Amino acid sequence: MSITYLSQEKRFLLETNHSSYIMELAHHDFLSHVYWGKKITNYHGSNKILYRDRGFCPNIEPSDRTFSLDTLPQEYPQYGNGDYRPCAYQVKNEQNETFSDIRYVSHEIYQGKQPLQQLPSSYADEKDVETLIIHMQDKTLGLSIDLYYHVFPTCDVITRYAKFHTTQPLTLTKMLSASVDFRRDDFDLVTMYGAHNNDRNLDRRPLTSATTVVESMRGASSPHQTPFLCLCNHNADEQQGEVYTMQFVYSGNFHGSVHVDPYRNVRMQIGLQPFDCEWHLSPNEIFETPEVVMTYTDQGFNQMSKQLHTFVKQHIVRGIWKDKQRPILFNSWESLYFDIREDKLLEIADTAADLGIELFVLDDGWFKGRNDDNSSLGDWVCDTKKLPHGIAWLSEQIHQRGMQFGIWVEPEMISEDSDLYRTHPEYALQIKDREHVIGRGQLVLDLTSSNVRDYVVESICNVLRSAKIEYVKWDMNRHLTNIGSLFLETKHQRETAHRYMLGVYDIMQRITQQFPDILFESCSSGGGRFDLGMLCYMPQTWTSDNTDAICRTKIQYATSYMMPAITMGSHVSVCPNHQTGRITPMSTRFAVAMSGRLGYELDLTKIHEDEIPLVKQQIALYKQYRPLVQHGTMYRLKNPFTGNEGAWCFVNDKNVLAIYIKTLSEPAAPFRILRLQGLEEDALYQLNHGDVYSGSELMYAGISIPNTKEDFHSEVWYFTKL
Ligand code: GLA
């Protein structure tokens, strides 16, 4: 039993293997938050909520000046009856009143978990998850809000979302998914920010007495801010310290915030972006907020990632690729860009096969008239000028060379210069009488419309049926503007951005369901939509358009806070690197790329003949250590954001792989040590079939890092457990 209700105390106890989450009904049936943190085995209310008459804090009962919602730690706070901190939701009735007041009515507890109806969500066997639904109601408004809590004990994860229904028409203007009040503020906040080619930088700062907001209004979760919030002790590091995280299972606009109130309490929230968004809810309809994944540990960031990685692998990623090893691929983008030519592709394919590559991916530029990024999106038919024998023939040629075949598509988009736009200009997202705002020369399809969605599903499925295709890269290369729909009634216009996402999920569900064997990889100009929503449909993501190994050291390091290596596409590319102009040794490019789902994205026919044996050897090596990287446990060892070095290791019960990257060579360089983690203290580990060391010495004494005179240097150590 991971969920208990103690009726005398009116207390809900949610327990994972190592954490507890406690709520109580306070006076007047308000739902209060009592505790989230390290597991408490026998809780009796030692940290009971204290009440006090504080100035400017309004009271529900005139006779009790100590009880105020402004100071009560709550689970799903509202605005209007006294709490001036950021609320979790807001609604408007037909009289334009925004006051609401939800109180506890009843609850249900059951084993198992239902999927959300229109949104991606986590899943589990019935025995592995328990559900609590707390029914809250504002009887005057006719509003009911069901608060869902799902407890996954073995992963130390709790997920949350809210479901709205009503007996009177209401407009929802804010509908977050989770809100937690802490009666302490001794935290740092860790978030991630970035841009195209600069995905996910770690940002850590102590909390200040204000609200810090992390959000997207771009119609996509975006590389700019990541839908991930992390609070930790000031001294937390990879190996110790308390860490609390919230992660959103959604790929569109989001709003995360951390608010510090004057009494030094902290409110942490995440959910749908309320800016420019509202939802009209009629009686008999429901509105579900997306799910939020929350985890706690007192053992630092590596343990946090271990919990989140296990959760992603077991309860987010699904389908036949869930546990399957991911193939090593070649991708045509940085080798040919739009200059797709049949003969050149086959020449590269010969080399790819010889090197040991397993999957050949034809990126952008293969469809009718697509010679640059200004045209053709929406016209999903082969350009026979470039590929005279067609896609099916090309795929056959690739298979004859012993590789699988994959293709790039960008199904959510439409180019003005396309047959689709010429026939159906109304298919683009738009606002009547306003000119289109263009991004990367293209418009976004109006996926709020079922006609448009049907077109996309049919045209993409036609491509996938037309040839033997085992892999699809699903791209999304611009953000939303002109956010309106010719298909929606006036009153639903401000629902467009969320309806767009529901439309994306609908087409992803329909297409992936029709092709369950295909390996889908999501992409949004790199890792612009690397979120848990996408991973529910597509088990891997192209981590960044930046393929520079030194930049990738940081990007992959930060991404690994939330996402396991098996989900991260990482490629060896050419030098000078196309994004940075940097020249990096092939060994370092490989060391970084092998730390995820390995690929090669360069003209393989131009690899210098001296390097061919090295690349062959690398590919063979990756095949040998693939189960370790893709299914083992990752430990971060040196933080490239705070120094000149980055390092991590992968560990399973048979092998250890440690990777070290040094950015710049140093004069008078100190002798450095790399201390591994996650090994068995008493076990013996053999280094590259040579010397033998104990687990404890590798973890506590560490390995001496060779002192070299080279920029962008890397070291890789392979150990076998004896
Ligand atoms: C995006 C992707 C790239 C490539 C191009 C093709 O930028 O991130 O990997 O597929 O589109 O246009």
Side-chain angles (χ1 to χ4, degrees):
M1 284 283 285
S2 45
I3 302 176
T4 317
Y5 179 66
L6 303 172
S7 52
Q8 217 173 349
E9 294 85 353
K10 297 187 176 175
R11 183 177 295 152
F12 296 95
L13 296 175
L14 280 56
E15 289 177 327
T16 70
N17 286 1
H18 303 97
S19 69
S20 297
Y21 190 100
I22 305 174
M23 298 171 270
E24 270 175 20
L25 298 181
H27 304 313
H28 315 290
D29 287 336
F30 287 106
L31 183 61
S32 70
H33 177 82
V34 176
Y35 176 77
W36 180 25
K38 194 173 168 81
K39 186 157 186 168
I40 296 173
T41 38
N42 210 343
Y43 179 75
H44 290 100
S46 59
N47 67 334
K48 64 177 173 296
I49 297 169
L50 300 178
Y51 298 98
R52 173 175 186 165
D53 179 6
R54 292 194 189 269
F56 300 110
C57 295
N59 312 115
I60 296 290
E61 277 281 344
S63 61
D64 180 3
R65 287 205 176 191
T66 67
F67 185 80
S68 173
L69 295 180
D70 207 18
T71 52
L72 182 73
Q74 292 176 75
E75 275 298 302
Y76 203 65
Q78 51 216 328
Y79 177 75
N81 50 1
D83 188 348
Y84 298 103
R85 295 167 291 178
C87 58
Y89 77 96
Q90 191 172 33
V91 302
K92 216 163 49 176
N93 65 9
E94 286 187 310
Q95 288 70 49
N96 218 14
E97 294 161 343
T98 56
F99 184 98
S100 90
D101 182 339
I102 51 164
R103 314 270 177 116
Y104 168 84
V105 177
S106 62
H107 69 269
E108 300 165 52
I109 297 173
Y110 59 86
Q111 197 63 39
K113 176 183 193 289
Q114 303 301 320
L116 273 77
Q117 285 179 12
Q118 288 182 292
L119 286 159
S121 53
S122 64
Y123 68 101
D125 288 344
E126 199 172 298
K127 63 176 184 2
D128 296 332
V129 60
E130 205 173 351
T131 297
L132 163 68
I133 312 173
I134 304 182
H135 301 287
M136 309 287 292
Q137 226 175 52
D138 179 332
K139 294 203 169 95
T140 312
L141 265 184
L143 168 69
S144 300
I145 303 180
D146 299 332
L147 301 179
Y148 281 72
Y149 297 82
H150 302 288
V151 182
F152 297 78
T154 55
C155 301
D156 287 306
V157 161
I158 295 174
T159 72
R160 283 184 64 177
Y161 68 95
K163 202 186 257 188
F164 290 71
H165 35 116
T166 176
T167 56
Q168 296 174 35
L170 288 177
T171 307
L172 314 184
T173 55
K174 186 172 185 185
M175 44 286 203
L176 301 186
S177 298
S179 181
V180 174
D181 285 349
F182 297 86
R183 281 177 275 160
R184 53 187 279 205
D185 71 337
D186 53 337
F187 291 124
D188 282 357
L189 171 63
V190 182
T191 57
M192 292 174 210
Y193 70 92
H196 178 224
N197 279 335
N198 186 20
D199 310 65
R200 285 172 297 286
N201 293 274
L202 284 177
D203 204 357
R204 177 173 179 170
R205 64 280 198 190
L207 291 183
T208 53
S209 51
T211 309
T212 308
V213 172
V214 173
E215 63 184 357
S216 168
M217 293 178 272
R218 300 174 160 269
S221 48
S222 90
H224 301 79
Q225 299 282 355
T226 300
F228 171 83
L229 292 177
C230 169
L231 291 179
C232 61
N233 294 153
H234 297 309
N235 66 349
D237 60 26
E238 288 294 350
Q239 299 191 64
Q240 58 84 37
E242 286 192 293
V243 182
Y244 297 83
T245 68
M246 283 186 178
Q247 214 180 333
F248 206 25
V249 189
Y250 188 67
S251 316
N253 292 341
F254 72 92
H255 173 88
S257 76
V258 178
H259 174 81
V260 185
D261 77 16
Y263 310 107
R264 312 311 298 180
N265 302 305
V266 167
R267 177 167 285 175
M268 181 188 199
Q269 302 184 312
I270 198 162
L272 287 175
Q273 169 63 266
F275 174 75
D276 199 35
C277 168
E278 57 181 32
W279 192 272
H280 292 270
L281 193 66
S282 304
N284 307 321
E285 286 177 355
I286 60 150
F287 182 86
E288 291 173 328
T289 70
E291 192 175 16
V292 168
V293 173
M294 312 198 310
T295 199
Y296 164 84
T297 175
D298 64 340
Q299 288 165 36
F301 299 115
N302 268 329
Q303 181 59 29
M304 164 198 81
S305 299
K306 212 167 161 181
Q307 290 167 200
L308 292 174
H309 291 183
T310 309
F311 189 76
V312 169
K313 288 183 194 174
Q314 292 181 0
H315 302 296
I316 292 286
V317 170
R318 60 206 72 198
I320 68 154
W321 283 98
K322 178 178 175 173
D323 299 317
K324 252 183 151 172
Q325 288 183 34
R326 311 293 164 77
I328 302 168
L329 63 80
F330 159 80
N331 178 293
S332 66
W333 181 241
E334 281 198 26
S335 27
L336 302 177
Y337 293 103
F338 294 102
D339 189 19
I340 297 292
R341 279 168 288 130
E342 211 172 72
D343 52 345
K344 181 68 194 174
L345 288 170
L346 292 181
E347 202 190 323
I348 297 178
D350 286 335
T351 314
D354 181 50
L355 291 171
I357 284 173
E358 299 160 319
L359 166 66
F360 188 94
V361 179
L362 179 60
D363 207 280
D364 200 353
W366 61 266
F367 47 100
K368 211 171 117 193
R370 179 77 168 170
N371 297 319
D372 58 33
D373 56 15
N374 289 308
S375 79
S376 311
L377 293 167
D379 298 345
W380 298 111
V381 288
C382 177
D383 188 332
T384 45
K385 282 196 195 124
K386 295 179 181 181
L387 303 171
H389 295 89
I391 296 288
W393 181 87
L394 179 64
S395 164
E396 245 171 62
Q397 295 297 310
I398 299 299
H399 282 93
Q400 277 172 20
R401 287 161 175 78
M403 291 177 289
Q404 297 187 317
F405 179 72
I407 203 160
W408 177 97
V409 286
E410 195 178 355
E412 299 160 56
M413 298 293 152
I414 179 169
S415 305
E416 277 182 293
D417 181 5
S418 69
D419 292 345
L420 181 63
Y421 188 79
R422 283 182 278 276
T423 329
H424 288 295
E426 76 283 8
Y427 274 19
L429 275 183
Q430 58 195 280
I431 295 176
K432 204 161 159 282
D433 302 330
R434 295 277 181 188
E435 286 195 358
H436 291 302
V437 175
I438 307 291
R440 206 198 188 206
Q442 64 200 50
L443 305 175
V444 182
L445 279 171
D446 184 350
L447 296 176
T448 70
S449 152
S450 59
N451 286 345
V452 178
R453 295 200 297 273
D454 289 347
Y455 170 81
V456 173
V457 172
E458 202 190 308
S459 58
I460 297 297
C461 288
N462 281 344
V463 174
L464 303 186
R465 269 191 292 267
S466 72
K468 197 166 172 198
I469 293 174
E470 284 106 343
Y471 163 101
V472 168
K473 178 174 169 190
W474 181 304
D475 213 338
M476 192 276 188
N477 285 322
R478 64 156 292 180
H479 289 153
L480 274 49
T481 54
N482 304 65
I483 301 171
S485 166
L486 298 185
F487 298 93
L488 290 175
E489 282 175 47
T490 307
K491 77 169 189 177
H492 293 300
Q493 286 297 324
R494 302 284 31 87
E495 301 169 2
T496 306
H498 183 53
R499 284 184 185 272
Y500 172 80
M501 273 324 304
L502 296 178
V504 171
Y505 291 140
D506 174 55
I507 59 173
M508 284 189 174
Q509 174 68 19
R510 285 158 65 188
I511 294 173
T512 54
Q513 215 164 36
Q514 282 196 51
F515 298 92
D517 295 337
I518 289 184
L519 172 60
F520 284 86
E521 176 157 336
S522 83
C523 173
S524 178
S525 293
R529 257 190 343 196
F530 201 159
D531 58 59
L532 294 180
M534 283 297 134
L535 285 176
C536 287
Y537 303 94
M538 310 200 172
Q540 57 192 46
T541 302
W542 176 225
T543 310
S544 176
D545 266 0
N546 189 339
T547 57
D548 177 292
I550 297 306
C551 298
R552 276 296 190 119
T553 303
K554 287 186 178 169
I555 294 170
Q556 293 173 202
Y557 186 94
T559 306
S560 78
Y561 263 47
M562 319 166 288
M563 306 299 186
I566 191 170
T567 64
M568 284 190 227
S570 45
H571 297 175
V572 172
S573 63
V574 77
C575 277
N577 177 269
H578 288 190
Q579 290 78 40
T580 61
R582 201 183 335 257
I583 295 174
T584 312
M586 180 59 104
S587 51
T588 298
R589 283 179 269 158
F590 173 69
V592 177
M594 80 176 304
S595 304
R597 189 279 295 135
L598 177 67
Y600 285 77
E601 188 164 335
L602 70 169
D603 184 345
L604 300 173
T605 62
K606 293 192 180 140
I607 296 180
H608 195 276
E609 63 186 42
D610 292 351
E611 273 184 339
I612 293 275
L614 174 66
V615 175
K616 275 190 183 167
Q617 204 190 350
Q618 291 173 341
I619 289 175
L621 213 70
Y622 186 77
K623 287 179 183 167
Q624 190 184 342
Y625 288 98
R626 174 163 41 192
L628 173 60
V629 173
Q630 298 193 354
H631 298 291
T633 305
M634 181 184 179
Y635 294 87
R636 288 175 299 270
L637 306 174
K638 283 183 185 277
N639 183 347
F641 287 93
T642 53
N644 193 25
E645 309 160 295
W648 47 82
C649 66
F650 297 94
V651 181
N652 68 12
D653 55 357
K654 293 194 186 70
N655 297 104
V656 178
L657 170 62
I659 292 170
Y660 167 86
I661 314 292
K662 180 166 173 178
T663 305
L664 292 179
S665 178
E666 301 161 287
F671 292 115
R672 291 222 164 83
I673 295 287
L674 184 65
R675 300 202 294 172
L676 306 189
Q677 281 189 43
L679 277 55
E680 284 173 40
E681 285 190 348
D682 297 333
L684 294 176
Y685 295 86
Q686 185 171 33
L687 173 62
N688 300 344
H689 311 292
D691 296 341
V692 173
Y693 305 102
S694 72
S696 54
E697 68 179 303
L698 291 173
M699 290 196 290
Y700 311 137
I703 322 167
S704 297
I705 301 168
N707 211 311
T708 51
K709 287 186 186 162
E710 183 189 43
D711 287 344
F712 320 128
H713 179 75
S714 63
E715 294 287 340
V716 179
W717 295 269
Y718 309 93
F719 297 92
T720 310
K721 194 174 129 198
L722 298 178

